[in-house]
Amino acid sequence: MSLSYELRVLELDSQTQLLERVQLLTQFASSFVVIKGESGAGKTWLAHRYLEAWAHGKNQSLITCFANQDDEVNRSNILRQLFPHSMYSATDSLHDSVERILEGEASNIVIVVDDAQHISQALLAELWLLYTASLHVTKQNISIVLFSASDSLSSRLSRLSHGLDSKPVELDVDELTDAEAERFFDTLVLRYIDESVEKRVKSAFTSIKPLPGEILALGEQKMEKKVIIRSLVGSPAKIAATVAVIVLLLFLGYSWLLKSPTPQSTEPSEVPIEQTVIPTLDGPVDAATEEQAEGANKEMPSQLEPTDDTASLPPSVTSETASVGVAESGERVVITSDVVDALLDDNTAVAVAKAAEVQNVVTPKVKVVDVDNAQKLQTPITFSFAREELNALPANSYTLQIAAMTELKDVQLFLNQHTFDKPVRVYPTLRGDEKWYIVTYDVYPSIQTARDAAEALPEEIQSLGPWPKSLSQVQREITRWKE
């Protein structure tokens, strides 16, 4: 039985009215809403139902707070749901990260926090700052909806909003009406319980609060098996007689154990291993019995011969190891970074100047080279970085990012496997201490144009998941690269 599925499709009037009010508050402008309700009032279901059926067209994020949870974890969960393809730092505040990612672009965002009574004061202040900042940015609608099981948020938010025109909106999750509780109980509990406990559950339903959580708990209770022990004694005299009978039975049982004979130990009989002999009887036997005994003795072998079963043993363990791809000389050639950078930047002058140095190192150490195999194992790098070209493009334009890799050979293989009819530009950047190579496709005057172009791309390129990226962000990433 899946009660959660039935609960998703059962909307009561009081719940629908609350969801409609939340939708109205968050649909056309930024808002900060706090929804309070006691434990079991159905706040978690309301949070999921609001995002599922009452917040269409919004960029959604849903987190659940726990006691002593790190703020960086909550920030990362929010940003990863809102901007799955953007880079951010979990140590930065939510306002700084969202402002850097959006760059003033229009947005329609809703952030829902369940069990908000556990949220830290620092993260609560970041959410309030994110909401108030969106009020001053055109076409940015950022709403915060908190579901709390206590009134602690009211006092904490009053300190944040003190002296400001903007105030949080507080709503309460009320108890179900008698008709709603009866319908809830009949639909989600009574139809699934066993007939043997139906009467007991109905009786318990009349004495609980009309809350969805407590009503659902009735269907999850297990019947307690009651063992009724009838009293065998009713007076001191009967108690004394009962104790005497029990002591007598214990004494008789102990005496019987002491008198029971102990088994005598017997010597194990020796079983002949080499052959089996049918014994003869002392008394007179008939001719048929003697003939059967002689036949049985003749069929038994006179001596059992050992059998060699070494073939069934596993192979012996050897201490020798085999290696693949290790040269016998144990020497290798190291090419300096100047030559690699010169080849990547198409600087043939430096590469030619260093060729003699590389040749002097390689010539005396290489004995036999299989040219065909060497060419198969190498991936020649034929592309060059477009840093200067990307920096020359307008910062307010956009491009499509289609790939991000950490190895140059992977970038080359990617370019070899796909065909593009628009300019493809590659630039390097740093994410932390790791080198990344970003592949971009074409350039567009606005983000909407880039989105439309992504939907009109061939299926081969659409399968790569292209997404719009501003040139200002691309140029900032290029500056991170250190030669």
Side-chain angles (χ1 to χ4, degrees):
M1 173 180 69
S2 177
L3 293 181
S4 60
Y5 175 78
E6 294 289 343
L7 184 59
R8 290 168 63 89
V9 298
L10 178 62
E11 287 188 357
L12 304 176
D13 293 338
S14 60
Q15 296 172 341
T16 302
Q17 293 174 4
L18 178 63
L19 293 173
E20 286 178 348
R21 190 172 180 185
V22 176
Q23 183 191 40
L24 182 62
L25 291 171
T26 60
Q27 187 172 7
F28 302 106
S30 300
S31 59
F32 200 103
V33 184
V34 178
I35 302 175
K36 299 179 296 181
E38 59 182 307
S39 179
K43 299 183 298 298
T44 299
W45 179 83
L46 287 171
H48 288 81
R49 187 61 179 171
Y50 164 70
L51 293 177
E52 180 184 65
W54 300 83
H56 293 302
K58 290 183 177 293
N59 193 359
Q60 303 175 357
S61 174
L62 172 63
I63 64 170
T64 301
C65 289
F66 299 95
N68 301 324
Q69 189 173 21
D70 193 353
D71 287 345
E72 293 186 5
V73 176
N74 290 325
R75 288 194 204 99
S76 179
N77 290 335
I78 293 173
L79 295 173
R80 184 173 62 251
Q81 295 177 53
L82 295 178
F83 312 106
H85 302 296
S86 300
M87 292 188 296
Y88 55 83
S89 175
T91 58
D92 296 339
S93 67
L94 287 175
H95 173 258
D96 293 340
S97 298
V98 173
E99 183 181 25
R100 183 171 56 253
I101 294 173
L102 291 180
E103 296 181 344
E105 291 291 335
S107 62
N108 192 2
I109 294 173
V110 60
I111 300 175
V112 177
V113 181
D114 193 17
D115 288 338
Q117 68 272 11
H118 299 306
I119 194 171
S120 67
Q121 185 65 23
L123 187 59
L124 184 63
E126 292 182 20
L127 292 173
W128 178 256
L129 177 61
L130 181 63
Y131 154 68
T132 55
S134 66
L135 298 176
H136 306 288
V137 181
T138 307
K139 296 182 180 181
Q140 277 196 0
N141 180 5
I142 300 179
S143 299
I144 312 297
V145 182
L146 306 181
F147 289 83
S148 175
S150 65
D151 295 330
S152 62
L153 285 181
S154 300
S155 59
R156 295 161 64 185
L157 285 171
S158 63
R159 293 194 296 268
L160 294 175
S161 60
H162 180 71
L164 300 178
D165 296 334
S166 300
K167 301 291 183 181
V169 178
E170 296 187 1
L171 303 176
D172 292 322
V173 182
D174 298 327
E175 295 181 351
L176 301 179
T177 63
D178 294 340
E180 290 177 339
E182 187 73 25
R183 179 187 172 194
F184 193 95
F185 175 72
D186 293 340
T187 304
L188 302 179
V189 178
L190 193 60
R191 62 187 297 186
Y192 296 112
I193 62 175
D194 190 77
E195 294 181 357
S196 59
V197 298
E198 181 177 342
K199 184 176 181 180
R200 185 183 67 86
V201 173
K202 284 183 177 180
S203 176
F205 171 68
T206 59
S207 61
I208 64 172
K209 286 185 176 182
L211 297 175
E214 296 197 12
I215 296 175
L216 280 178
L218 295 177
E220 298 174 356
Q221 292 179 355
K222 296 181 179 179
M223 284 296 298
E224 299 178 357
K225 295 182 179 179
K226 298 181 179 180
V227 180
I228 301 176
I229 303 177
R230 296 182 178 179
S231 177
L232 299 178
V233 293
S235 63
K238 291 183 178 180
I239 293 176
T242 303
V243 172
V245 171
I246 294 175
V247 172
L248 180 61
L249 292 175
L250 292 175
F251 176 76
L252 294 176
Y254 183 70
S255 301
W256 177 80
L257 290 175
L258 292 177
K259 294 180 180 180
S260 60
T262 58
Q264 298 180 356
S265 60
T266 57
E267 295 294 334
S269 58
E270 296 183 358
V271 180
I273 298 177
E274 296 184 356
Q275 62 180 4
T276 303
V277 179
I278 299 177
T280 59
L281 301 176
D282 295 337
V285 295
D286 55 6
T289 303
E290 290 182 353
E291 183 177 355
Q292 291 177 359
E294 291 178 359
N297 289 331
K298 289 180 181 181
E299 292 177 358
M300 294 299 296
S302 61
Q303 184 177 1
L304 296 177
E305 298 180 357
T307 304
D308 185 6
D309 59 352
T310 56
S312 61
L313 297 175
S316 58
V317 179
T318 177
S319 61
E320 298 180 359
T321 60
S323 60
V324 179
V326 179
E328 295 180 357
S329 62
E331 300 175 347
R332 60 178 181 175
V333 178
V334 179
I335 300 176
T336 62
S337 60
D338 297 338
V339 179
V340 177
D341 294 339
L343 293 175
L344 295 178
D345 296 335
D346 290 338
N347 194 344
T348 57
V350 177
V352 173
K354 296 293 183 176
E357 177 185 346
V358 177
Q359 182 66 24
N360 293 335
V361 176
V362 175
T363 303
K365 299 180 181 297
V366 178
K367 296 181 181 181
V368 179
V369 177
D370 191 344
V371 178
D372 295 335
N373 292 335
Q375 292 178 351
K376 293 178 180 178
L377 295 175
Q378 295 178 356
T379 302
I381 307 300
T382 61
F383 70 92
S384 58
F385 294 137
R387 290 173 290 188
E388 297 180 358
E389 184 178 354
L390 290 170
N391 284 327
L393 295 174
N396 59 352
S397 58
Y398 290 82
T399 184
L400 292 177
Q401 178 173 321
I402 58 177
M405 304 174 185
T406 58
E407 298 290 341
L408 286 172
K409 61 179 181 179
D410 295 335
V411 178
Q412 185 63 57
L413 290 174
F414 175 82
L415 296 177
N416 294 342
Q417 293 173 356
H418 299 87
T419 304
F420 306 96
D421 56 354
K422 298 290 183 179
V424 176
R425 302 176 180 90
V426 183
Y427 68 91
T429 186
L430 289 177
R431 295 180 181 175
D433 296 331
E434 188 175 8
K435 296 180 179 180
W436 282 83
Y437 305 100
I438 312 300
V439 183
T440 65
Y441 180 83
D442 207 1
V443 63
Y444 307 94
S446 65
I447 187 173
Q448 188 60 44
T449 307
R451 290 172 179 169
D452 296 340
E455 296 177 356
L457 290 174
E459 294 183 359
E460 178 185 4
I461 303 180
Q462 283 194 17
S463 63
L464 305 177
W467 57 277
K469 191 172 188 179
S470 64
L471 262 296
S472 59
Q473 182 177 351
V474 171
Q475 292 165 2
R476 286 198 302 268
E477 294 178 359
I478 292 177
T479 58
R480 299 175 188 170
W481 180 264
K482 297 179 181 180
E483 297 292 346

